[in-house]
Amino acid sequence: MKTLAAIPCYNEELAIGSVVLKARKYVDEVLVVDDGSTDDTVEVATAAGAVVVSHEVNKGKGAAIKTALKYAATEGEFDALVLLDGDGQHDPNQIPLLIHLLQDDTADVVIGFRNLNQMPRYRILLRLATLTAIQPVRLFLHAVYDACRVLHCCRHIYSVHRVGAKCYL
């Protein structure tokens, strides 16, 4: 299964290199969608072995995800796409758990998430703030809709919840 890890990011020069290097162990290609960063994100991601697509200005995470979806659909005949955050919050070592469900045809779409115990407190506050804002939610829903259009069908959508070394569906 040819797999692409896509990492939308903005000003993540401190973490992006590590995320790319870890993700490369599990996928065929790593794409970093630089959303108009003003730091050295592009240089660090490139040095770590990622393909980089850049937005000239910051358009937001939803637009970066759309760029990743377009790339996955047009640039490499990928069978699977894994989206990771560029700040190191998502553990690339979990990629095999997500891909396994696709490989054995258990699911067409797999969504991984953390519970509140696994999330730093500042992220909890940020998530609550984001949930109250209409625009980011609308952009995320558009990105999910676009992903389903790219996949052409979604027979099953499973959530994978990681607790320690166990995986619950």
Side-chain angles (χ1 to χ4, degrees), residues 69-121:
L69 292 171
K70 288 176 189 173
Y71 183 93
T74 62
E75 296 296 328
E77 299 182 21
F78 294 100
D79 300 305
L81 169 66
V82 177
L83 291 169
L84 299 167
D85 281 353
D87 60 4
Q89 290 291 318
H90 299 156
D91 183 6
N93 295 317
Q94 299 300 310
I95 291 173
L97 290 174
L98 302 173
I99 294 174
H100 172 71
L101 294 169
L102 299 173
Q103 288 175 324
D104 70 5
D105 208 24
T106 301
D108 293 314
V109 175
V110 181
I111 301 170
F113 67 96
R114 298 171 294 192
N115 66 27
L116 294 179
N117 298 349
Q118 297 167 311
M119 197 178 294
R121 293 205 189 284

Side-chain angles (χ1 to χ4, degrees), residues 133-156:
I134 302 294
Q135 185 66 9
V137 172
R138 186 178 70 78
L139 288 173
F140 176 75
L141 292 176
H142 280 286
V144 169
Y145 172 75
D146 287 345
C148 290
R149 281 191 8 217
V150 168
L151 294 170
H152 300 292
C153 67
C154 293
R155 291 189 311 262
H156 305 94

Side-chain angles (χ1 to χ4, degrees), residues 4-135:
L4 172 70
I7 308 169
C9 63
Y10 177 72
N11 288 341
E12 294 293 350
E13 70 180 352
L14 297 178
I16 193 63
S18 174
V19 175
V20 169
L21 290 171
K22 289 178 184 176
R24 286 181 57 202
K25 296 178 193 175
Y26 305 107
V27 299
D28 298 293
E29 186 174 320
V30 176
L31 170 71
V32 169
V33 180
D34 172 60
D35 195 30
S37 295
T38 57
D39 64 0
D40 290 329
T41 296
V42 171
E43 292 80 4
V44 173
T46 302
V51 173
V52 178
V53 174
S54 294
H55 294 167
E56 290 191 24
V57 296
N58 184 277
K59 297 179 180 182
K61 187 172 183 179
I65 291 172
K66 283 185 176 185
T67 298
L69 292 171
K70 288 176 189 173
Y71 183 93
T74 62
E75 296 296 328
E77 299 182 21
F78 294 100
D79 300 305
L81 169 66
V82 177
L83 291 169
L84 299 167
D85 281 353
D87 60 4
Q89 290 291 318
H90 299 156
D91 183 6
N93 295 317
Q94 299 300 310
I95 291 173
L97 290 174
L98 302 173
I99 294 174
H100 172 71
L101 294 169
L102 299 173
Q103 288 175 324
D104 70 5
D105 208 24
T106 301
D108 293 314
V109 175
V110 181
I111 301 170
F113 67 96
R114 298 171 294 192
N115 66 27
L116 294 179
N117 298 349
Q118 297 167 311
M119 197 178 294
R121 293 205 189 284
Y122 79 92
R123 281 296 212 194
I124 295 169
L125 295 174
L126 184 59
R127 177 156 295 172
L128 291 173
T130 301
L131 290 175
T132 62
I134 302 294
Q135 185 66 9

